[in-house]
Amino acid sequence: MDKQKIERMRTGKGFIAALDQSGGSTPKALAAYGIGQDAYSNESEMFDMVHAMRTRIITSKAFNKEHILGAILFEQTMDREIEGLPTADYLWDKKGVLPFLKVDKGLADLAEGVQLMKPITGLDELLQRAVQKHIFGTKMRSVIKEANPAGIKKVIDQQFELGLQIAKHGLVPIIEPEVDIHSPEKAECEEILKKELRSHIDNLPADVLIMLKVSIPTKVDLYKEFTTDPKVVRVVALSGGYSRDEANALLAKNHGMIASFSRALADELRAQQSQEEFDTTLAAVVKSIYDASIT
């Protein structure tokens, strides 16, 4: 585990850009970018276009280490190149941005008020490739919709079981138990979640480091204790369906948390923009998210 990179993520100012839409979410991401489904005729062309979109974001002068600490990638993005370099190498060598890899395969059906992750077949092989590609860490998402203690425990049990498997490869796992922001029991879910996180973090082996990615909590600073825990490299927040302005305002109230926004990062970017318009728009978005992340 690279101590320089760990220290950069633990103490650096900035946020994590989530550029990991995949499968079913890719057409929506392209549509929001101004590219309709009539612009491509098959999946291969679709993924070429989304890689072009991500390349434009990453190579923009507005995408820089002064504001951005890391970027979460889809597997195909990891396997592709940007300006002749593997994507992860471009991020770190040219931009000073730490590369993460989304490893989950989507969500299982709702049961006991939660959605666990689907089985991740071939995870060890994927992690080996990630190490070869110079990936720093991983992320995997579950969803909590109801204040069901048994269901929430299953979410965290699964997250930490896989997190330990990931850590054995020298990668830093982002544990992501998202709480649905529309749940009428959101605050109760978060209190149960916090207790489960505390228990599991306390029982981590001494040499294992993790990160947490959580919904912005209803109770301000609910997760603040984790921001100074030596086993937790960083606590990051997902936007979870909030508009960027809403997410920024809520995040700014929570000390020590930084953003890891996806849609809220790219929702004003368009394929039809000139490079100057694109860079100017992205710079304003990046600055607003950065400002909310340095409280």
Side-chain angles (χ1 to χ4, degrees):
M1 197 173 289
D2 189 314
K3 291 184 178 179
Q4 177 196 2
K5 293 179 178 179
I6 292 289
E7 193 62 19
R8 165 75 175 151
M9 181 51 62
R10 191 186 290 279
T11 63
K13 291 185 177 181
F15 67 94
I16 297 174
L19 305 174
D20 58 325
Q21 299 95 342
S22 61
S25 61
T26 300
K28 293 179 182 178
L30 285 173
Y33 184 55
I35 298 177
Q37 294 190 27
D38 58 346
Y40 48 90
S41 56
N42 55 52
E43 191 176 76
S44 177
E45 291 180 2
M46 177 185 76
F47 283 123
D48 286 345
M49 287 184 173
V50 82
H51 186 66
M53 178 185 79
R54 289 167 179 155
T55 295
R56 194 180 188 194
I57 292 171
I58 290 169
T59 57
S60 170
K61 63 184 180 182
F63 194 96
N64 57 66
K65 66 181 180 181
E66 284 73 34
H67 298 104
I68 299 169
L69 292 173
I72 303 173
L73 308 175
F74 170 48
E75 184 179 347
Q76 281 199 29
T77 310
M78 176 186 75
D79 289 335
R80 295 184 183 230
E81 294 185 347
I82 294 178
E83 295 184 352
L85 288 174
T87 301
D89 289 343
Y90 183 91
L91 280 166
W92 180 247
D93 295 344
K94 299 295 185 181
K95 293 283 187 168
V97 173
L98 291 163
F100 291 81
L101 175 66
K102 166 188 160 71
V103 298
D104 68 80
K105 303 299 182 184
L107 299 170
D109 292 337
L110 184 68
E112 296 183 277
V114 303
Q115 289 180 274
L116 298 173
M117 289 177 282
K118 292 179 179 177
I120 307 175
T121 56
L123 178 58
D124 280 318
E125 291 78 8
L126 176 60
L127 297 173
Q128 289 167 10
R129 282 203 296 118
V131 171
Q132 292 168 359
K133 295 281 188 178
H134 305 140
I135 293 292
F136 172 75
T138 65
K139 89 111 186 181
M140 48 192 177
R141 172 175 170 260
S142 313
V143 174
I144 297 167
K145 293 179 177 289
E146 299 172 12
N148 183 316
I152 294 172
K153 184 178 188 304
K154 287 181 179 179
V155 163
I156 303 306
D157 285 348
Q158 183 189 46
Q159 284 276 348
F160 276 78
E161 179 183 356
L162 292 172
L164 288 172
Q165 183 178 350
I166 291 162
K168 288 179 180 178
H169 290 264
L171 300 165
V172 178
I174 298 178
I175 305 296
E176 184 182 1
E178 175 181 347
V179 176
D180 187 340
I181 64 168
H182 302 295
S183 170
E185 302 176 321
K186 180 174 179 287
E188 294 88 344
C189 290
E190 290 165 345
E191 291 291 349
I192 298 168
L193 171 60
K194 180 184 177 181
K195 291 178 182 178
E196 286 294 338
L197 289 172
R198 180 74 275 161
S199 174
H200 282 71
I201 290 169
D202 287 345
N203 287 311
L204 281 173
D207 60 342
V208 171
L209 297 175
I210 65 162
M211 292 174 59
L212 296 177
K213 183 170 180 176
V214 290
S215 304
I216 303 170
T218 301
K219 181 181 178 181
V220 172
D221 280 340
L222 179 69
Y223 302 118
K224 186 178 179 182
E225 67 183 69
F226 299 127
T227 67
T228 56
D229 191 298
K231 294 181 183 178
V232 180
V233 178
R234 209 73 193 243
V235 180
V236 306
L238 54 97
S239 52
Y242 291 120
S243 70
R244 185 176 64 255
D245 288 345
E246 287 177 307
N248 284 342
L250 292 169
L251 175 61
K253 297 175 182 178
N254 287 271
H255 300 85
M257 290 180 72
I258 65 172
S260 178
F261 295 168
S262 175
R263 183 187 55 77
L265 171 68
D267 62 1
E268 293 180 23
L269 303 177
R270 300 293 181 270
Q272 296 78 15
Q273 290 169 329
S274 69
Q275 194 59 46
E276 183 179 357
E277 290 171 331
F278 185 92
D279 289 341
T280 300
T281 301
L282 182 58
V285 170
V286 164
K287 181 63 163 55
S288 74
I289 299 173
Y290 172 85
D291 287 345
S293 297
I294 59 173
T295 54

